[in-house]
Every structure is written in C-alpha cells, then in structure tokens.
C-alpha cells in the first residue's frame, strides 16, 4: 500500500465534552451501636524551639535578596507510658543572594556588578516537651510476658541412699515457657502549621576590596537566631463506639429540617 493510500486510511477521533447531570447516592449505613477503629486526637499543641546556627557561603556575598523557609519534621514520638514528646527535624532554607562578579564589570565608586545565586541548607533542631493535658487519654502499651514452668519428676535414688527415699525435683532436661506478645498502637503526629521569626547577621563583613560605592562590603558567614513555633496534633488509633439511629433518605433532599 502506498503512502498516499495509508494517509487516506488513517482514522481520526474527535470528542466533545458536554455537561451532564449527577444525582446523590444514598449510602448504606449500619444501624445501632458500632465499634470502629479511628485516629483519635490525644493532644494539639504549639511547641517553641530556639535555634542558633552559623551559615557559611561558598563565595563572597554582597547582600541577601530573599530567604524561603520550609519546616521538615522527621521525628515526633510520644514516649508511652510517659507524657514526654520528642521532636526532631530541619528548617530548609533557600537563600537568594547577590555575589560580586568582576567578569560582568569592574566595580566603580558608583556601581557594583553582581550575579544572583542561591544556597539551600538544612538547619537541624530537636527538643523534648511535656504534654501537660491530654484531650483524650492514650492507650498505654500492654507489656509482653514470659512465664517459665516445670513438671514434677520422681526417681529412685542410686546405691548409698535409703531404699525408701526418692529423688524429687523438676526435669532439668526439659524447658517449658508461656509467652505473650502485644502489638500496641503507636501514637503519631500531624504537622498543622509553623511560624518562624529569624535574625540573620553577617559576622565577617569587610569593606569592598576594590573601588566601590560608600558602605558596600562583602561577607561569607552569617549567624542566625531563629524562634520556631510548631503546631501539631498527636494521634493514636483507638477503638471507639459510635451510634447510628437512622438510615433515612435525608441525603437525597438535604435541607435545614434534616
């Protein structure tokens, strides 16, 4: 078949997206008192973490243009059966800064040429706080148990002992044990929000080495003081009882009376 005939036989598909109607579907609801397993909020709290860090740049910096921040939580562990909450994470910082560039143009008494660069760093933090009031009491872990038991044995004594006496003890050639393991629900966290107040200050700023406008300088290190407020929820999967008394058709015609 020639290429011309192939092009004639090629199919074409076109579709039109039209608006369609939808209807509420009446769900099937179990009636009565039902036991379900759901995440339960144990506590909701705001934790304040103070951070002091030193950041070094790979090149001289003329000025900082912008800093974008994101909180990364890598550990949030409620140590049951205590009320101590262990927090560990990082603050991801993307720092946009201007760096002098002699390749663009030599600095003068009125101008400084620079490139716009960025540096991404992770500032670590960790703390331990106490949950003073639980919204819902956590289910404490059940302790594993191991119990050893023996069986009584009675044997005749060898020559040299009275004939009526017997050796009575447990059998040392056997080992018997009952063990129980519990697979407890581990509490977990959800990060809700974070707020950062920071102070960044150059600690090695020196005047510009060449001709430059008044007050211009360069630095490679900044000291950062940061107050971080983290709001989070502490949850645990628990079994709770819920009650449903009706499975009427209110879902079809929802109004204020329903």
């Amino acid at each position: 078949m020639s290429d011309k005939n192939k092009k004639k036989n090629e199919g074409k598909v076109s579709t039109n997206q039209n608006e369609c109607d939808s209807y509420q579907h009446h769900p099937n609801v179990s009636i009565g008192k039902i036991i379900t397993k759901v995440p339960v909020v144990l506590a909701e709290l705001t934790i304040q973490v103070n951070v002091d860090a030193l950041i070094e740049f790979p090149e001289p910096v003329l000025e900082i243009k912008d800093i974008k921040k994101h909180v990364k939580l890598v550990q949030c562990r409620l140590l049951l059966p205590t009320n101590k909450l262990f927090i560990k994470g990082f603050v991801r910082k993307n720092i946009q800064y201007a760096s002098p560039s002699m390749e663009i143009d030599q600095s003068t008494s009125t101008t400084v040429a620079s490139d716009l660069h960025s540096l991404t760093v992770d500032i670590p933090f960790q703390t331990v706080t106490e949950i003073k009031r639980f919204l819902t009491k956590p289910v404490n872990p059940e302790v594993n148990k191991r119990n050893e038991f023996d069986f009584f044995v009675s044997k005749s004594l060898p020559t040299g002992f009275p004939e009526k006496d017997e050796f009575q003890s447990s059998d040392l050639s056997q080992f018997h044990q009952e063990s129980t393991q519990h697979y407890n629900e581990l509490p977990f966290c959800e990060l809700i929000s974070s707020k950062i107040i920071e102070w960044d200050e150059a600690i090695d700023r020196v005047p510009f080495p060449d001709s430059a406008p008044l007050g211009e300088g360069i630095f490679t290190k900044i000291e950062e003081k940061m107050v971080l407020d983290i709001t989070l929820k502490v949850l645990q999967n628990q079994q709770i009882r819920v009650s449903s008394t009706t499975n009427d058709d209110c879902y079809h015609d929802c109004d204020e009376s329903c």
Side-chain angles (χ1 to χ4, degrees), residues 49-53 72 88-92 121-126 224 226 228:
V49 183
N50 302 318
V51 181
D52 194 341
K72 301 188 293 184
K88 185 185 294 185
F90 300 88
V91 177
R92 180 189 184 273
V121 295
D122 278 345
I123 308 298
F125 65 87
Q126 60 180 0
E224 178 181 73
M226 181 167 52
L228 170 62

Side-chain angles (χ1 to χ4, degrees), residues 182-218:
H182 295 276
Y183 303 94
N184 300 286
E185 290 289 347
L186 187 67
F188 58 96
C189 297
E190 287 184 358
L191 188 60
I192 299 175
S193 65
S194 62
K195 176 184 176 182
I196 298 175
I197 301 176
E198 64 178 304
W199 178 291
D200 296 323
E201 183 177 17
I203 59 175
D204 63 344
R205 191 172 189 268
V206 295
F208 208 81
D210 301 319
S211 176
L214 182 65
E216 295 295 336
I218 56 175

Side-chain angles (χ1 to χ4, degrees), residues 127-178:
T127 187
V128 181
T129 189
E130 180 179 340
I131 300 179
K132 297 180 180 179
R133 185 176 68 89
F134 285 102
L135 300 176
T136 304
K137 288 291 185 180
V139 177
N140 287 324
E142 295 284 345
V143 180
N144 295 338
K145 297 177 182 179
R146 290 189 298 173
N147 297 314
E148 183 180 341
F149 58 93
D150 292 309
F151 290 103
F152 169 78
V153 294
S154 177
K155 297 181 181 179
S156 300
L157 290 170
T159 304
F161 291 92
E163 184 177 350
K164 295 182 178 179
D165 291 346
E166 290 183 340
F167 174 79
Q168 299 182 5
S169 180
S170 60
D171 193 346
L172 297 179
S173 66
Q174 297 182 2
F175 178 80
H176 311 279
Q177 186 183 73
E178 178 189 29

